[in-house]
């Protein structure tokens, strides 16, 4: 199946813990994005990567980190520095500007 | 900086009624792209339409139609003869040329009552 796979679907974080959200794609897209969605809010950009081994901060990068070692994968780590991590996280990809971004099914992160 | 405003938060309609969602955008670029996405309860965003700033032709696709007016910086979306399956959150978004970062509005929650 072609598409974008996010895992896990639900994730719980303990105080002081780092957690990693997975995003994998087999669309052969160059660009990948991470968004955060809070209830009643639009999506806000955390990080994005337009090519392997390169990534840029978005609007709310503090408390998050990413890597892009492979074209297919763009994991997001929510660090202990992120004091309010409870949100819905969406990964997206596209093949370059101008293009349509396609989204994964999301990961819902909660704090225990 | 790019900005998208969707004024209505929740809109309830009875099945078969039409519903129009307003989107107003701000950008300094002359070349930009406008999008509508649908987010059903499952959470995944589903792409509906993209328009570039040079194409003001309005479009109809089945029960969906879009009205793009550069003069008022608006890109409105209408669902005709709404159905229960249309219940979702709808997002308007904008990207500027050379920068594929999407700026999203806060979304419109559409509730279709059977």
């Amino acid at each position: 199946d072609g598409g974008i796979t996010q895992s896990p679907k639900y994730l719980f974080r303990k105080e002081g813990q780092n957690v990693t959200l997975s995003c994998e794609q087999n669309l052969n897209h160059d660009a990948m994005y991470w968004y955060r969605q809070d209830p009643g809010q639009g999506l806000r950009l955390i990080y994005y990567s337009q090519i392997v081994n390169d990534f840029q901060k978005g609007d709310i990068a503090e408390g998050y980190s990413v890597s892009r070692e492979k074209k297919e994968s763009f994991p997001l780590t929510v660090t202990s520095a992120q004091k309010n991590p409870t949100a819905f996280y969406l990964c997206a990809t596209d093949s370059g500007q101008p293009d349509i971004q396609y989204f994964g099914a999301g990961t819902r992160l909660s704090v225990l | 900086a790019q900005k998208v405003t969707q004024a209505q938060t929740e809109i309830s309609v009875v099945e078969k009624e039409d519903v129009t969602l307003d989107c107003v955008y701000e950008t300094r670029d002359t070349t930009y792209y406008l999008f509508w996405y649908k987010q059903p309860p499952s959470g995944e965003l589903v792409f509906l339409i993209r328009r570039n700033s040079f194409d003001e032709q309005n479009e109809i696709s089945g029960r969906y139609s879009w009205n793009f007016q550069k003069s008022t910086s608006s890109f409105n979306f209408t669902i005709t003869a709404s159905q229960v399956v249309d219940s979702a959150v709808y997002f308007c978004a904008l990207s500027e040329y050379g920068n594929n970062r999407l700026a999203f509005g806060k979304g419109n929650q559409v509730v279709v009552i059977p």
Side-chain angles (χ1 to χ4, degrees):
Chain A
D1 275 1
I4 303 164
T5 302
Q6 288 189 243
S7 61
K9 190 171 182 179
Y10 299 96
L11 186 58
F12 298 91
R13 193 189 89 166
K14 295 180 182 178
E15 197 76 32
Q17 186 182 40
N18 292 353
V19 292
T20 298
L21 285 61
S22 170
C23 179
E24 303 277 333
Q25 56 107 352
N26 60 6
L27 300 171
N28 200 34
H29 283 172
D30 288 314
M32 298 185 73
Y33 307 79
W34 275 106
Y35 293 90
R36 169 178 170 144
Q37 184 180 17
D38 292 284
Q41 300 295 315
L43 280 67
R44 292 182 291 168
L45 182 65
I46 305 172
Y47 268 99
Y48 63 105
S49 168
Q50 295 177 308
I51 197 168
V52 175
N53 292 323
D54 187 45
F55 49 83
Q56 287 79 41
K57 293 182 179 180
D59 301 316
I60 55 166
E62 187 174 348
Y64 300 97
S65 66
V66 293
S67 62
R68 187 84 187 277
E69 296 176 2
K70 299 186 301 182
K71 188 175 185 177
E72 301 79 19
S73 178
F74 190 41
L76 173 73
T77 296
V78 184
T79 73
S80 57
Q82 173 49 248
K83 299 306 179 188
N84 183 22
T86 297
F88 187 52
Y89 292 86
L90 285 155
C91 175
T93 74
D94 69 49
S95 61
Q97 223 272 353
D99 194 22
I100 299 160
Q101 285 186 25
Y102 294 96
F103 287 79
T107 293
R108 199 165 296 278
L109 175 62
S110 303
V111 177
L112 290 176
Chain B
Q2 56 202 89
K3 182 180 175 182
V4 176
T5 302
Q6 294 178 253
Q8 310 115 307
T9 50
E10 182 167 327
I11 303 166
S12 295
V13 296
V14 176
E15 200 171 18
K16 297 185 184 176
E17 287 183 343
D18 298 348
V19 54
T20 295
L21 309 180
D22 298 329
C23 173
V24 175
Y25 61 91
E26 294 177 29
T27 177
R28 294 181 180 176
D29 275 20
T30 55
T31 304
Y32 52 88
Y33 302 87
L34 294 162
F35 302 79
W36 276 96
Y37 284 88
K38 174 182 179 180
Q39 186 178 40
S42 60
E44 181 175 347
L45 262 72
V46 177
F47 166 76
L48 295 178
I49 190 171
R50 179 183 67 175
R51 268 283 174 269
N52 72 54
S53 52
F54 297 110
D55 182 4
E56 284 191 76
Q57 183 177 358
N58 294 320
E59 181 172 333
I60 298 174
S61 176
R63 295 185 298 106
Y64 296 163
S65 62
W66 293 270
N67 184 354
F68 177 26
Q69 293 193 343
K70 285 177 72 172
S71 60
T72 55
S73 297
S74 66
F75 186 45
N76 298 338
F77 170 45
T78 298
I79 304 171
T80 302
S82 59
Q83 300 176 1
V84 173
V85 293
D86 296 326
S87 296
V89 181
Y90 292 84
F91 289 100
C92 182
L94 165 73
S95 70
E96 295 168 338
Y97 184 73
N99 172 6
N100 214 24
R101 296 172 53 153
L102 283 174
F104 284 87
K106 291 189 176 181
N108 299 125
Q109 172 78 61
V110 173
V111 178
V112 181
I113 303 164

